[in-house]
Amino acid sequence: MLPDFRLRQRDYLLNISRAMTARLDLSSLLELTLQSASDMLAGQAGLITLRRSDNSFAPYASIGLPIQALPLFKPLWEDLDSDSDQPDTSNITFRLALASRAAGVTLRQVVALPLEIGPEIIGYIFIFRNHGAAFSENDQHVLSSFANQAAISVQNARLYQEVNAERERLNAIIENSGDGVMIINPYRIIQTWNKALVQQTGIPTEEAVGRPCYEILNLQTSQGVSVCHATCPLIRRPTGGRLYAEGIHRRADGLAITYADNYSLQTNADGEVGQIIANVRDITQFREAEQLKQTLLSVISHELKTPVSIIKGYAGTLAREDANWDKATLADGLAVIEEEADRLDRLITNLLEASRLQAGGFKLRLSDLNLADLAKNAVENLQTTTDKHQFELDFPEDYPPISGDYERMWEVLTNLMGNAIKYSPEGGIISVFGDVTHADMVQLSVRDEGIGIPPADHEHIFDRFYRVDNRLARQAPGTGLGLFLVKAVVEAHGGRVWVESTSGQGSTFTIELPIDPQNKTQA
Ligand code: ADP
């Protein structure tokens, strides 16, 4: 059976370890250690100093001492030799006598021990008595267990602080990463959803965390097939391959974002997956640019190839030495070649203009421009290409000139009138008319009696490469660049363009332009 004081000592140490697991803060833990040590050693006061970053020591916890008097006790630890682990008792007893007199307390005996973590002395523990009986060797022995306990508390607190600081650093990196970062558990439940993802998707962290990623991100192919259900790499893990998924996330407001997810599995010591870190990158622009490149390639190969093969075919036929073409056949053949060459020229101009626009090299050469005259010239030019359509011009007498770029406005008018011909395969009347709506704006409209445009397409037809997806519209050749350029040129002049149309009822395209764009843009 253990002697009584050994039992008490064991109980005290047990209490301190319990307090440690209950995660009391370091100074309360050290105070508890001091209290227990002081009780065991029949002391009345105690003090623990810890080493600071500048290597000096400073009081960290005390009992039975007036806080404001603590600096007066500095001589006790001031020049404790950190290499020797046994402070010189007679020397510090003398210093204690001076300090306690200055502090107005009566403390006569002191026992001090270093707090050690491995070879490093990280502080000292002092226990004081207010009566003359000196501390025995056994007292020192008892104190050493408390010193060890205090050293463990300090080390734990330090490790805890380090882990915390590291965790906060990692959290800050994840939280502030420019790319989306999501951490999910093996059941694909979201644990972390960073700021970038909140901003991009509009889904707040509280809503995302705790829910499955396949519901929140819900990536889909462009055909609407769920990537998360069909090909999630976390379910069908490719052996040795990288864990990657790509798909479209549709935001609540309808905007589509293409995401590329790279997953990295975090395994524990047993090789089991603990969590999965997903880098969620917004690649919408990249995919759009790729898509544009693809469209451009197919437009070039299809739309440019057709007139070239017609020209080549006619030229080859007309040039045959064994054939003796009459004048009328020759003239017809040459007319087709000229028409196709014009079409090719328009296509190439549109393509060049579109790429110039993209590169930002779009500058207007302004001069006084009479749109009514320009429209008349364009009509004369285009009327020769068709006998199914009848052009009508109607401009008011006082239709004012604008300040505009002649070449570009010519492209605008020929694109609009060319479309009016192209998309009225049955022919009909094409009206080109002008109007003055405000004092500083003019309007010009091109109205046809053709196939019309379904309302759902109105907002898209001015997009690059956009073509209405129906049989009638697709019968006409085209690149989907004409209206894109019309809009760009009109807007560069400070104006706007719009369409009024319903399927099968013809279309009216109207451009509205400021009479003086400089005044307009400054307004
Ligand atoms: P393109 O005619 O080369 O296809 P545009 O940019 O000029 O390209 O026109 C985009 C689309 O808008 C066309 O493909 C067509 O579907 C539709 N569109 C344009 N003008 C008309 C029109 N006058 N009538 C009917 N549809 C039109």
Side-chain angles (χ1 to χ4, degrees):
M1 181 126 167
L2 285 172
D4 188 38
F5 80 93
R6 298 283 277 156
L7 273 177
R8 274 177 54 220
Q9 183 184 359
R10 195 194 62 183
D11 285 348
Y12 277 134
L13 291 173
L14 204 64
N15 271 343
I16 296 169
S17 342
R18 280 204 188 114
M20 255 161 75
T21 41
R23 291 239 195 100
L24 277 185
D25 70 290
L26 183 61
S27 52
S28 334
L29 270 174
L30 295 183
E31 271 168 26
L32 180 66
T33 312
L34 277 175
Q35 195 62 59
S36 312
S38 170
D39 283 356
M40 280 299 297
L41 302 182
Q44 283 71 45
L47 180 70
I48 287 178
T49 58
L50 291 182
R51 196 191 287 281
R52 295 192 296 201
S53 53
D54 66 358
N55 243 358
S56 66
F57 292 93
Y60 200 89
S62 69
I63 54 159
L65 293 172
I67 301 276
Q68 67 282 8
L70 287 181
L72 298 171
F73 290 83
K74 196 172 173 192
L76 266 71
W77 62 80
E78 200 166 36
D79 46 25
L80 280 178
D81 181 7
S82 53
D83 291 337
S84 83
D85 49 12
Q86 284 306 325
D88 176 352
T89 313
S90 60
N91 188 9
I92 59 170
T93 309
F94 173 68
R95 292 179 181 208
L96 173 68
L98 296 178
S100 54
R101 190 173 314 140
V105 290
T106 30
L107 295 173
R108 294 187 210 282
Q109 297 297 336
V110 55
V111 57
L113 278 183
L115 309 183
E116 290 164 312
I117 298 178
E120 188 197 358
I121 292 179
I122 56 156
Y124 285 91
I125 181 167
F126 301 83
I127 298 292
F128 307 109
R129 273 182 190 154
N130 61 5
H131 50 82
F135 286 99
S136 65
E137 213 168 290
N138 187 44
D139 287 337
Q140 286 213 5
H141 189 70
V142 170
L143 185 60
S144 70
S145 359
F146 290 97
N148 288 341
Q149 201 57 255
I152 292 170
S153 302
V154 172
Q155 192 181 24
N156 269 357
R158 278 183 183 173
L159 288 176
Y160 187 70
Q161 267 168 12
E162 271 170 30
V163 169
N164 243 356
E166 186 62 13
R167 201 177 49 196
E168 272 165 24
R169 208 173 64 85
L170 283 176
N171 277 346
I173 292 174
I174 290 175
E175 201 42 34
N176 297 307
S177 153
D179 276 341
V181 180
M182 143 181 110
I183 299 179
I184 51 182
N185 72 10
Y187 304 99
R188 297 191 289 163
I189 304 293
I190 299 171
Q191 318 280 300
T192 300
W193 182 256
N194 79 342
K195 227 191 280 173
L197 280 174
V198 174
Q199 276 161 2
Q200 289 166 15
T201 62
I203 302 172
T205 309
E206 317 79 74
E207 206 177 291
V209 168
R211 303 231 343 246
C213 61
Y214 47 85
E215 274 177 18
I216 293 288
L217 265 187
N218 189 19
L219 298 184
Q220 298 188 340
T221 63
S222 50
Q223 280 80 39
V225 178
S226 166
V227 172
C228 296
H229 288 119
T231 52
C232 178
L234 299 175
I235 296 178
R236 290 187 191 112
R237 260 182 238 161
T239 35
R242 75 181 177 133
L243 302 174
Y244 176 83
E246 184 180 322
I248 297 166
H249 164 79
R250 256 174 222 293
R251 280 196 340 196
D253 62 5
L255 189 90
I257 308 175
T258 307
Y259 275 127
D261 292 5
N262 268 305
Y263 302 94
S264 96
L265 306 182
Q266 310 290 302
T267 44
N268 61 21
D270 302 328
E272 289 159 356
V273 176
Q275 59 180 17
I276 299 147
I277 300 180
N279 271 71
V280 185
R281 178 166 291 177
D282 178 355
I283 56 162
T284 315
Q285 284 188 337
F286 174 71
R287 282 287 173 254
E288 271 173 8
E290 262 200 345
Q291 182 65 40
L292 272 184
K293 236 192 289 171
Q294 282 299 327
T295 318
L296 184 66
L297 274 180
S298 70
V299 162
I300 290 177
S301 53
H302 182 250
E303 295 302 320
L304 296 189
K305 253 186 111 126
T306 316
V308 169
S309 18
I310 295 176
I311 291 171
K312 196 170 166 359
Y314 270 83
T317 314
L318 294 181
R320 273 171 61 172
E321 282 178 5
D322 57 342
N324 207 357
W325 305 115
D326 59 48
K327 242 181 154 188
T329 318
L330 266 179
D332 280 354
L334 288 173
V336 173
I337 290 179
E338 196 179 355
E339 227 172 75
E340 291 303 315
D342 279 348
R343 196 171 125 199
L344 204 52
D345 184 55
R346 269 203 305 277
L347 274 173
I348 293 170
T349 312
N350 280 355
L351 280 171
L352 284 178
E353 286 289 280
S355 73
R356 218 172 278 155
L357 241 187
Q358 198 171 17
F362 197 84
K363 290 210 174 60
L364 297 179
R365 264 182 264 140
L366 297 178
S367 62
D368 273 357
L369 192 64
N370 190 324
L371 279 183
D373 290 348
L374 198 68
K376 194 162 158 270
N377 289 345
V379 163
E380 275 166 14
N381 204 298
L382 286 166
Q383 185 67 78
T384 58
T385 65
T386 172
D387 41 23
K388 273 204 255 172
H389 303 84
Q390 193 55 49
F391 275 97
E392 282 179 3
L393 276 161
D394 184 13
F395 283 85
E397 286 282 308
D398 57 349
Y399 194 69
I402 61 156
S403 168
D405 183 318
Y406 179 88
E407 297 281 337
R408 295 260 155 69
M409 286 317 294
W410 176 262
E411 279 160 25
V412 167
L413 297 191
T414 50
N415 264 312
L416 291 180
M417 294 178 193
N419 279 351
I421 297 176
K422 210 161 61 167
Y423 297 106
S424 333
E426 305 295 323
I429 293 172
I430 299 172
S431 314
V432 182
F433 53 97
D435 218 342
V436 183
T437 42
H438 315 281
D440 57 350
M441 298 296 254
V442 290
Q443 282 187 358
L444 182 149
S445 305
V446 178
R447 181 168 59 219
D448 63 55
E449 301 176 328
I451 60 172
I453 302 165
D457 289 298
H458 288 193
E459 59 170 316
H460 301 296
I461 52 172
F462 298 97
D463 292 348
R464 191 169 21 185
F465 295 125
Y466 189 86
R467 305 201 69 214
V468 173
D469 195 12
N470 65 32
R471 192 181 50 81
L472 274 180
R474 288 281 172 183
Q475 270 169 358
T479 54
L481 282 174
L483 290 180
F484 169 71
L485 290 168
V486 165
K487 185 168 185 257
V489 171
V490 168
E491 286 181 352
H493 279 79
R496 60 192 185 106
V497 53
W498 67 92
V499 64
E500 289 151 278
S501 176
T502 32
S503 292
Q505 308 275 315
S507 317
T508 305
F509 282 86
T510 303
I511 58 173
E512 186 178 58
L513 293 161
I515 295 168
D516 185 342
Q518 247 113 35
N519 282 348
K520 175 77 184 165
T521 25
Q522 277 162 19

